[in-house]
Amino acid sequence: MAQVHSDTKESSSSSTNGPSSDGTQADLVARLPTREGWSTPLTLYNQCWLRSHMLGKFMAVRDNFRPRGDDVILATHPKSGTTWLKALAFAISNRSRCSLDDDDHPLRMTNPQKAVPFIGAVGGDLEYLETLPSPRLLSTHLPLSLLPPAVSTLGCRLVYLCREPKDAFVSRWHFENKIGTGGPIGLDDAFAMFCQGCSAFGPFWEHYLQYWKESLARPREVMFLRYEEMVSDPVEVAKKLASFLGVPFTQEEEDRGVAQQVASFCSFDSLRNLDANKVGGVERAGGKIFLHFSSLFRKGKVGDWANHMSKEMGEELDRLVEDKFKGSGLVF
């Protein structure tokens, strides 16, 4: 069972916006609650559990990331279809310059995770993001509360993708066991942590709700999607996404079936079978985890949770979801 470090004390620092005037960032970090149990330790910062080895980079985002009014930011809670959404948004945004039939199309040459950089994460450090031409297509797993307020005030467009929590949890559990170099993480232990809100970028309910409320406040600039929508009607989602991104499919493209072509090319099975997604990966956390690109593609099935979790576990998580989202209008 995961344990909170004995030398770590819960303190008011977990709700601090940054280093206090009488201490350094290192002092603040040393006081933050840290917990083990997943593939890497997590640290609680501003009520969000972040991978400890990435904490400094993520802490810098709110103060140092400079949004632009024409930015498009793809936001997801982990294991909710991030790779799929990145591929779809990239293919749609760049279709006038890159034909999906070309052998050197970027999505044939590199993993979608690298094609659309994460804000403040590996491959998307803040200095590099400044060099990108506008409009930028970026991504994040961070909750809205850890992004600069200018993301909202400048009118940056956000596309948020969420997933039914039981499926998201099972995908998370499998993923952590694939990338970790230590012993396997038991389902019961992982489930307990997830329900306590302790998982990377969790609690998941706070993450979902922040972007849900933003979509209600800025409906023209925030598109709220569900993974299940993408599975049931990917062509319709592609059309909606193209319109939202300001590059709707023309009538001529509709006649040629371009939306269907994009949806097919970016489908789970299609992406999984591209050579760029079969080989290679990146080492992180000083060798504690190794992310094989192939690990980003498992099943992608709706309802797969029932093949791993007991009925009782499913009911417990359903009760938690009902309680956490009560009154919000967001239901699963």
Side-chain angles (χ1 to χ4, degrees), residues 13 258 329:
S13 61
V258 174

Side-chain angles (χ1 to χ4, degrees), residues 146-183:
L146 292 186
L147 294 177
V151 167
S152 297
T153 58
L154 288 176
C156 298
R157 280 174 292 175
L158 296 170
V159 180
Y160 186 73
L161 179 62
C162 70
R163 189 177 188 181
E164 198 283 326
K166 296 190 293 297
D167 278 337
F169 161 69
V170 167
S171 184
R172 158 64 56 193
W173 173 59
H174 279 287
F175 182 73
E176 293 280 335
N177 277 324
K178 284 183 178 180
I179 66 174
T181 58

Side-chain angles (χ1 to χ4, degrees), residues 37-41 51 172 175-177 179-182 185 288-289:
W38 295 103
S39 57
T40 64
R51 292 196 186 275
R172 158 64 56 193
F175 182 73
E176 293 280 335
N177 277 324
I179 66 174
T181 58
I185 304 165
K288 291 182 180 178
I289 60 176

Side-chain angles (χ1 to χ4, degrees), residues 72-75 85 157-161 223 225 241 244-245:
V72 175
I73 301 175
L74 311 178
L85 178 62
R157 280 174 292 175
L158 296 170
V159 180
Y160 186 73
L161 179 62
M223 184 179 189
L225 287 172
L241 185 57
F244 179 78
L245 296 176

Side-chain angles (χ1 to χ4, degrees), residues 54-329:
M54 291 294 297
L55 182 60
K57 289 181 177 292
F58 289 138
M59 289 173 69
V61 168
R62 186 172 172 87
D63 292 332
N64 299 324
F65 171 57
R66 287 181 279 186
R68 303 172 190 169
D70 57 359
D71 281 343
V72 175
I73 301 175
L74 311 178
T76 57
H77 194 261
K79 311 317 299 173
S80 297
T82 305
T83 307
W84 191 2
L85 178 62
K86 283 188 171 189
L88 197 59
F90 185 92
I92 289 171
S93 300
N94 292 281
R95 70 184 189 277
S96 63
R97 296 186 295 274
C98 308
S99 171
L100 294 176
D101 295 325
D102 293 342
D103 291 337
D104 62 350
H105 189 284
L107 292 178
R108 295 186 187 275
M109 307 297 290
T110 189
N111 184 273
Q113 298 282 10
K114 299 175 73 174
V116 183
F118 276 110
I119 298 170
V122 177
D125 62 85
L126 301 184
E127 290 184 3
Y128 168 69
L129 297 185
E130 283 296 306
T131 70
L132 298 178
S134 295
R136 298 180 298 185
L137 181 62
L138 308 173
S139 65
T140 189
H141 282 322
L142 289 170
L144 188 61
S145 58
L146 292 186
L147 294 177
V151 167
S152 297
T153 58
L154 288 176
C156 298
R157 280 174 292 175
L158 296 170
V159 180
Y160 186 73
L161 179 62
C162 70
R163 189 177 188 181
E164 198 283 326
K166 296 190 293 297
D167 278 337
F169 161 69
V170 167
S171 184
R172 158 64 56 193
W173 173 59
H174 279 287
F175 182 73
E176 293 280 335
N177 277 324
K178 284 183 178 180
I179 66 174
T181 58
I185 304 165
L187 179 64
D188 289 344
D189 287 348
F191 183 75
M193 290 187 290
F194 190 76
C195 290
Q196 292 162 11
C198 181
S199 60
F201 303 98
F204 71 87
W205 55 84
E206 291 292 343
H207 203 284
Y208 287 26
L209 283 171
Q210 286 185 21
Y211 286 99
W212 171 249
K213 291 174 182 177
E214 186 77 353
S215 73
L216 298 179
R218 297 199 293 131
R220 290 188 175 184
E221 298 157 337
V222 183
M223 184 179 189
F224 195 94
L225 287 172
R226 298 169 184 263
Y227 182 86
E228 296 73 25
E229 291 178 72
M230 294 178 67
V231 171
S232 64
D233 198 344
V235 175
E236 183 61 25
V237 169
K239 291 179 180 180
K240 289 181 179 179
L241 185 57
S243 295
F244 179 78
L245 296 176
V247 285
F249 293 104
T250 65
Q251 186 59 55
E252 188 267 340
E253 286 180 312
E254 291 274 9
D255 294 341
R256 289 194 290 117
V258 174
Q260 288 83 353
Q261 182 188 15
V262 169
S264 177
F265 180 86
C266 296
S267 69
F268 188 89
D269 288 336
S270 174
L271 291 174
R272 179 168 53 188
N273 289 320
L274 292 175
D275 288 342
N277 299 323
K278 288 182 179 179
V279 298
V282 291
E283 184 178 271
R284 296 178 179 170
K288 291 182 180 178
I289 60 176
F290 187 86
L291 175 60
H292 293 273
F293 291 140
S294 60
S295 68
L296 298 170
F297 303 91
R298 191 177 69 86
K299 288 185 177 180
K301 302 295 184 183
V302 173
D304 183 54
W305 68 269
N307 296 319
H308 304 277
M309 295 166 57
S310 67
K311 179 182 177 182
E312 290 73 22
M313 293 171 76
E315 291 174 346
E316 180 180 344
L317 188 47
D318 283 344
R319 288 192 296 271
L320 176 67
V321 167
E322 183 178 3
D323 177 64
K324 296 298 184 182
F325 293 111
K326 185 182 300 182
S328 69

